[in-house]
Amino acid sequence: MEKINAVITGIGGYVPDYILNNEELSRMVDTSDEWITTRVGIKERRILTEEGLGSSYMARKAAKQLLQKTGVDVDTIDCVIVASTTPDYRFPSNASIVIGKLGIKNAHGFDVSCACCGFLYTVDMACAFVQSGRYKRVMVIACEKMSSMVDYQDRQTCVLFGDGAAAVMVEATTEEGVGFQDSFLRTDGQGLPFLHMKAGGSVCPASHYTVDHRMHYIYQEGRTVYKYAVTSMSNDVKEIMQRNNLTEADVNWVIPHEANLRIIEAVTKRLDIPMDKVMINIERYGNTSAASIALALWDFEKKLKKGDNIILTAFGAGFVHGASFLKWGYDPQ
């Protein structure tokens, strides 16, 4: 029996039209373009400003582009997995909303919450479904409306985050030399004190007190998160390279979570991987959490070639972290 591989066969993306640049932010909080650019490498971020629209709207936009590019019949999709920390509602899932809006009839779907590792973890799950033979075609969508939980009075965090979504199709193939090869994923479990939202969950439900005390926004201890991110991402990439006998010369692209340019530079320096092999779009989109790696793939798709060795790596709240190795499956049109 031939081995079944799981391969990405297409990618779609969406970012909102509205651009929140550093100049505008500097009129909202005590900051400047120089301060932001020097510390995190971000010039602008996209924000979904239309009232009544959430992350599932962007997910649908990305998914529709993916379907148009691949020509896939929605009736042939077996499963839809959505990665998001900012779903439209506590329930139902974004996946159910997307499935309903797109008219997908023969799939089940669910959401995954893994913070900034959402795409990395969700694609690994989709690959497991496909490689097991259970499904032939899984749609993975990563979508975030980070602006919905950013405190625009907090200059430490409001400069970091943006909104966006991207979607990939993961399919079965018996072709050799393409598809996902290996993943190294870990959950540390020690990150709660350093990165979380204080209220809105079952421990501290929403109330007048939590709203009045601005407890429904991102809380982050930046220095701790920075140190953890650099260490975990660089170690995870080293692990995946060693396990697969890869040298720096073998790697065509590294696609890191787009959290902070200084983090990305520190990680690649530890790995001795030149920056011209690293996909970076944080300057234009900021940190889009679960969507960031997928948006980078979408943004740089035309630079990819079939057979390229690609390493994905991310970290996020929890703490969660990991790296994956794949061989790209197609030449862009």
Side-chain angles (χ1 to χ4, degrees):
M1 184 177 179
E2 291 183 295
K3 179 184 176 183
I4 300 174
N5 295 321
V7 63
I8 290 177
T9 57
I11 184 162
Y14 175 80
V15 291
D17 293 332
Y18 183 77
I19 297 173
L20 176 59
N21 60 30
N22 291 347
E23 182 184 354
E24 185 175 353
L25 271 176
S26 68
R27 298 195 296 268
M28 299 163 61
V29 292
D30 181 18
T31 190
S32 67
D33 175 65
E34 182 183 7
W35 189 91
I36 298 168
T37 304
T38 301
R39 284 161 178 77
V40 295
I42 300 169
K43 287 287 189 181
E44 56 190 40
R45 61 292 288 151
R46 300 299 184 98
I47 305 296
L48 184 64
T49 57
E50 289 84 353
E51 188 174 347
L53 296 180
S55 56
S56 78
Y57 169 79
M58 295 182 287
R60 298 196 306 274
K61 286 281 193 178
K64 284 181 179 179
Q65 186 186 88
L66 171 64
L67 292 170
Q68 289 169 355
K69 288 170 69 174
T70 59
V72 165
D73 182 348
V74 294
D75 290 339
T76 66
I77 297 172
D78 299 307
C79 181
V80 177
I81 313 175
V82 176
S84 185
T85 313
T86 56
D88 289 11
Y89 307 99
R90 291 281 292 272
F91 62 90
S93 69
N94 265 9
S96 68
I97 296 171
V98 170
I99 285 171
K101 294 288 187 180
L102 295 182
I104 299 173
K105 302 297 184 184
N106 299 316
H108 76 105
F110 56 93
D111 288 2
V112 171
S113 178
C114 291
C116 298
C117 277
F119 181 74
L120 193 68
Y121 281 32
T122 307
V123 164
D124 187 73
M125 193 180 304
C127 289
F129 280 142
V130 169
Q131 290 165 341
S132 71
R134 175 169 290 190
Y135 301 134
K136 293 183 179 179
R137 181 172 283 152
V138 180
M139 181 188 287
V140 172
I141 310 170
C143 58
E144 297 285 18
K145 187 180 177 181
M146 297 302 292
S147 61
S148 67
M149 58 180 183
V150 167
D151 184 353
Y152 287 98
Q153 295 181 20
D154 176 10
R155 75 167 190 160
Q156 300 294 330
T157 57
C158 74
V159 303
L160 299 174
F161 297 98
D163 303 339
V168 299
M169 201 70 74
V170 179
E171 299 191 56
T173 181
T174 55
E175 182 180 356
E176 296 181 0
V178 294
F180 280 81
Q181 306 296 308
D182 194 14
S183 288
F184 177 80
L185 309 177
R186 291 293 183 270
T187 298
D188 180 281
Q190 304 301 310
L192 174 60
F194 311 108
L195 184 54
H196 62 273
M197 181 187 289
K198 295 181 179 180
S202 59
V203 167
C204 187
S207 66
H208 283 293
Y209 179 88
T210 62
V211 172
D212 291 343
H213 287 78
R214 309 183 68 79
M215 297 171 65
H216 293 268
Y217 299 115
I218 296 167
Y219 170 82
Q220 175 174 273
E221 294 185 17
R223 289 185 179 180
T224 301
V225 173
Y226 176 93
K227 291 176 182 177
Y228 189 91
V230 172
T231 301
S232 62
M233 290 171 71
S234 55
N235 288 347
D236 294 347
V237 173
K238 286 178 182 177
E239 175 72 19
I240 210 78
M241 289 177 68
Q242 289 172 359
R243 283 175 19 169
N244 293 276
N245 298 315
L246 296 171
T247 66
E248 178 277 322
D250 297 322
V251 178
N252 298 104
W253 295 104
V254 173
I255 310 178
H257 167 50
E258 310 283 325
N260 180 321
L261 183 59
R262 291 168 66 188
I263 291 175
I264 295 171
E265 289 173 340
V267 169
T268 53
K269 184 177 181 180
R270 287 190 177 198
L271 297 170
D272 284 329
I273 290 178
M275 290 295 285
D276 60 6
K277 286 189 173 186
V278 184
M279 291 187 182
I280 302 173
N281 61 7
I282 189 173
E283 179 179 318
R284 291 180 292 115
Y285 298 143
N287 181 348
T288 55
S289 190
S292 73
I293 291 177
L295 275 172
L297 276 172
W298 173 64
D299 223 18
F300 291 92
E301 181 187 17
K302 290 184 178 179
K303 291 192 174 186
L304 298 171
K305 298 187 296 294
K306 186 173 182 178
D308 276 356
N309 291 325
I310 300 173
I311 294 178
L312 315 176
T313 184
F315 74 97
F319 291 119
V320 294
H321 58 96
S324 294
F325 165 43
L326 67 147
K327 290 180 176 289
W328 194 245
Y330 64 93
D331 291 315
Q333 300 297 319

